[in-house]
Amino acid sequence: MTEADWDDSDDDWGDDDDAPSETVRCPSCGADVYEDAEQCPACGEYITRTHSAWQGKPLWWIVLGAIGVIATIAVLSAL
């Protein structure tokens, strides 16, 4: 084997310098904050993430879901 066979200059060895980092807006000041950050570096406020099943759903979607649950319970109780 020659030295050219061992040329690994184009290999990635875990360098994440080019990797795009996800950012979100701070709810207090609106600055861009890394997704994994606990605190905003601009204003110092803690970043809280709420993951609710109802978050972002329109009212009609919630009402339709509730009607579906009630109808299912009514049908199953009639059996």
Side-chain angles (χ1 to χ4, degrees):
M1 289 191 126
T2 64
E3 189 173 325
D5 294 334
W6 291 96
D7 183 24
D8 56 350
S9 60
D10 59 344
D11 287 342
D12 269 343
W13 292 99
D15 293 337
D16 291 332
D17 294 336
D18 324 344
S21 56
E22 299 292 324
T23 58
V24 294
R25 295 255 181 219
C26 172
S28 297
C29 68
D32 285 333
V33 180
Y34 286 113
E35 191 174 55
D36 298 333
E38 293 181 16
Q39 256 184 321
C40 175
C43 67
E45 290 292 320
Y46 284 94
I47 308 297
T48 57
R49 293 168 187 83
T50 58
H51 298 295
S52 171
W54 308 110
Q55 182 179 3
K57 301 283 192 250
L59 181 61
W60 67 268
W61 183 258
I62 296 169
V63 171
L64 185 65
I67 291 171
V69 169
I70 292 169
T72 303
I73 292 171
V75 168
L76 291 176
S77 66
L79 292 177

